[in-house]
Amino acid sequence: MADFSEALGKRKRETEQAVSKKRAMKRKQKPKSSLAGDLNLDASAGVNEAIGHMDSSLLADYVAQSIRRFEPDLTSIELEDRYISERAVRDTSDWSFPRTSDTLPQYLEHFTDGPDAVTRLSNAPESCGHPHTIVVTAAGLRAADLARSLRKFQSKDAMVAKLFAKHIKFKEATTRIGIGIGTPQRLIDLLDNGALSSKNLERIVIDASHINQKKRGIFDMKETEIPLTQLLLRKELKSRYSSVEGRISLLFF
């Protein structure tokens, strides 16, 4: 009888282990959801609506979560060095319109301080390659869409520049630029090369709400999140997020 009970118990344990292993495999195979939650994803519009409802504090936490997600081996000190303060993030949660390419011009006008925002956005610093606004997005096609949308701010003396394509030569970026649109790594390359300068930069707009066909945004993919974080944490940029003079605002569109 004891042998039978022992055998029965062993069989039960093996069955439980098999079920547990099967469940673990299912969890592993299940696609990772967006940090902001799949319930907020409007796939037809290509928008993660959760981003628009986050204030500065929530957005700072959102960025920190994405860093921990894709760089899990970082120490607490390294994580602290990568932290972007909520004071650096402009609160745009009062913007009630959909965050699509068509509404980006109005979004920029709304959050450009001072009188006559259209005129200010349509101007460019005298120095070549010194934009006042950089828009960071995940892919070239999306950058092209945003560039077309922002053409209203382009003039003969202020270019709305697409800075994403690999075939663009660095010297071609050295023109008077008001607004530059590019992918994270390409912007890093241009800054490193000296073709692009942050000296006159007033704002960085992160295309955070946009999602692709796989429902992934710029913070949901390792290949875009890591270079985006590297871009935002550049010393010459980060030191100006909280400064009074020469401040750079971070806006999450």
Side-chain angles (χ1 to χ4, degrees):
M1 187 70 178
D3 292 341
F4 176 76
S5 298
E6 185 177 346
L8 188 62
K10 183 179 179 182
R11 193 172 192 180
K12 184 178 180 181
R13 287 192 299 273
E14 290 174 346
T15 301
E16 290 174 346
Q17 290 172 355
V19 172
S20 179
K21 186 176 181 180
K22 190 174 182 180
R23 287 175 179 170
M25 289 294 291
K26 285 184 177 180
R27 285 195 298 269
K28 188 175 181 180
Q29 292 170 0
K30 186 179 179 180
K32 292 181 179 179
S33 62
S34 166
L35 284 173
D38 287 343
L39 293 177
N40 298 294
L41 305 183
D42 184 344
S44 60
V47 175
N48 181 347
E49 297 176 343
I51 301 296
H53 298 299
M54 295 184 189
D55 61 15
S56 301
S57 177
L58 288 174
L59 285 169
D61 288 342
Y62 179 66
V63 174
Q65 286 181 49
S66 71
I67 293 172
R68 289 194 294 268
R69 179 184 185 184
F70 293 114
E71 298 182 80
D73 297 329
L74 292 176
T75 66
S76 57
I77 295 176
E78 289 172 328
L79 284 170
E80 184 65 27
D81 289 339
R82 282 166 170 74
Y83 182 71
I84 295 176
S85 169
E86 64 182 86
R87 291 180 297 174
V89 181
R90 179 77 179 263
D91 186 355
T92 64
S93 58
D94 64 340
W95 176 258
S96 58
F97 300 96
R99 303 194 179 208
T100 60
S101 58
D102 293 338
T103 64
L104 180 56
Q106 290 73 35
Y107 175 90
L108 282 179
E109 291 173 29
H110 185 79
F111 293 106
T112 296
D113 297 325
D116 202 354
V118 175
T119 299
R120 292 189 63 191
L121 291 166
S122 301
N123 289 329
E126 292 291 335
S127 300
C128 293
H130 287 60
H132 54 66
T133 302
I134 284 178
V135 182
V136 193
T137 190
L141 287 176
R142 174 65 175 175
D145 288 341
L146 296 181
R148 282 191 290 269
S149 178
L150 295 171
R151 285 283 185 249
K152 67 173 291 185
F153 301 125
Q154 178 164 295
S155 67
K156 64 178 182 178
D157 296 321
M159 183 179 181
V160 174
K162 296 178 289 185
L163 304 172
F164 62 88
K166 291 181 179 179
H167 66 268
I168 291 179
K169 297 178 182 178
F170 286 111
K171 65 179 181 180
E172 292 178 35
T174 54
T175 187
R176 286 185 63 184
I177 298 172
I179 301 174
I181 307 104
T183 54
Q185 188 57 56
R186 190 58 177 164
L187 291 169
I188 289 173
D189 293 340
L190 289 167
L191 287 167
D192 286 345
N193 184 272
L196 198 65
S197 171
S198 62
K199 184 177 180 180
N200 295 99
L201 195 60
E202 298 176 22
R203 64 192 66 81
I204 298 174
V205 182
I206 303 163
D207 188 28
S209 298
H210 179 69
I211 55 174
N212 59 21
Q213 292 181 340
K214 295 182 179 180
K215 300 181 181 180
R216 297 290 177 264
I218 195 168
F219 283 102
D220 299 318
M221 300 176 288
K222 185 175 182 179
E223 62 270 26
T224 53
E225 187 279 332
I226 289 181
L228 173 58
T229 301
Q230 292 172 344
L231 173 66
L232 297 179
L233 292 175
R234 289 177 70 95
K235 185 177 180 180
E236 70 269 27
L237 301 180
K238 189 178 180 182
S239 62
R240 292 168 57 192
Y241 293 155
S242 302
S243 63
V244 176
E245 192 172 336
R247 179 186 177 91
I248 296 175
S249 296
L250 293 182
L251 292 88
F252 287 68
F253 178 65

